Amino acid sequence: SYLFLCFFCSVFSTQVLSYVNLDDFISGELLGSNSTYLIDESAELKLNDLPAQGSGEWLSPNQETLSLGYSTAAVWLDIALINSGPHADWFLEVAYPVLDKVDVHVGYQNSSEEYHLGDFVNFNERPINHRNFVIPLSLKLNETARVLIRVQSSTSLQVPIRLWQQTDFY
């Protein structure tokens, strides 16, 4: 976990990011246009293999829900968050429950978390019991977080991502 955090901070902290300011974000809206994505044709890239943001390999979606059709590739999505408002507790929802593998890496300023979801994973292992894939996010005032999501599926690669204030979600 410490090595992951060191890697996460060293590789990604030098890049110019477009942060989603949670204080300006409307709870429950799609987050797609605030992300970048990378298509991993080999489906073998690991977190430490990812090219740097700004390398030209990361793309901006042209719609709110990334939709790549049927593919054997994996797709990585990158979202940078900053909390300049009073709400610290959020949920990130991947609202397409038929995806086979959904791995989420959250790098906070002083810690990191990793979640392994998807319809290949037992429902009871989800951090939030919900039909979609939902993970908790907690950002203190002025804290930043970097969210990397890897998705792979035998179904259509659609990745609708929503960000919710936890009170609104419930």
Side-chain angles (χ1 to χ4, degrees), residues 67-71 96 98-99 153-159:
S67 182
L68 301 174
Y70 289 87
S71 174
Y96 193 56
V98 297
L99 295 169
S153 192
S154 59
T155 62
S156 176
L157 270 179
Q158 295 181 46
V159 193

Side-chain angles (χ1 to χ4, degrees), residues 40-70:
D40 172 14
E41 293 293 346
S42 69
E44 293 181 5
L45 288 177
K46 304 290 183 221
L47 188 65
N48 57 354
D49 299 328
L50 294 176
Q53 275 288 355
S55 67
E57 295 180 63
W58 290 90
L59 306 169
S60 295
N62 58 2
Q63 52 200 14
E64 282 300 336
T65 296
L66 181 64
S67 182
L68 301 174
Y70 289 87

Side-chain angles (χ1 to χ4, degrees), residues 20-25 81-84 87 90 139 163 165:
V20 175
N21 186 338
L22 297 178
D23 195 38
D24 297 334
F25 193 80
L81 305 172
I82 186 167
N83 184 21
S84 66
H87 303 287
W90 293 79
L139 285 89
L163 200 56
Q165 290 176 19

Side-chain angles (χ1 to χ4, degrees), residues 4-105:
F4 169 76
L5 182 60
C6 289
F7 166 78
F8 208 83
C9 291
S10 66
V11 171
F12 296 115
S13 64
T14 59
Q15 299 157 23
V16 177
L17 297 175
S18 176
Y19 285 92
V20 175
N21 186 338
L22 297 178
D23 195 38
D24 297 334
F25 193 80
I26 298 171
S27 180
E29 285 201 350
L30 287 165
L31 195 55
S33 65
N34 295 293
S35 68
T36 56
Y37 71 97
L38 170 83
I39 298 173
D40 172 14
E41 293 293 346
S42 69
E44 293 181 5
L45 288 177
K46 304 290 183 221
L47 188 65
N48 57 354
D49 299 328
L50 294 176
Q53 275 288 355
S55 67
E57 295 180 63
W58 290 90
L59 306 169
S60 295
N62 58 2
Q63 52 200 14
E64 282 300 336
T65 296
L66 181 64
S67 182
L68 301 174
Y70 289 87
S71 174
T72 57
V75 63
W76 289 84
L77 291 102
D78 185 356
I79 304 162
L81 305 172
I82 186 167
N83 184 21
S84 66
H87 303 287
D89 297 318
W90 293 79
F91 284 135
L92 184 132
E93 174 189 24
V94 178
Y96 193 56
V98 297
L99 295 169
D100 295 341
K101 295 179 184 175
V102 179
D103 297 320
V104 183
H105 310 272

Side-chain angles (χ1 to χ4, degrees), residues 85-155:
H87 303 287
D89 297 318
W90 293 79
F91 284 135
L92 184 132
E93 174 189 24
V94 178
Y96 193 56
V98 297
L99 295 169
D100 295 341
K101 295 179 184 175
V102 179
D103 297 320
V104 183
H105 310 272
V106 183
Y108 295 100
Q109 288 172 255
N110 297 311
S111 65
S112 63
E113 295 176 359
E114 199 167 312
Y115 301 92
H116 301 286
L117 308 162
D119 67 7
F120 282 7
V121 177
N122 187 318
F123 184 86
N124 294 330
E125 294 180 29
R126 295 180 183 189
I128 307 297
N129 288 335
H130 191 269
R131 69 183 175 277
N132 293 327
F133 309 113
V134 180
I135 64 154
L137 298 172
S138 184
L139 285 89
K140 298 177 189 88
L141 184 63
N142 296 320
E143 185 177 15
T144 60
R146 189 79 180 275
V147 181
L148 285 162
I149 305 168
R150 182 189 182 276
V151 177
Q152 187 175 9
S153 192
S154 59
T155 62

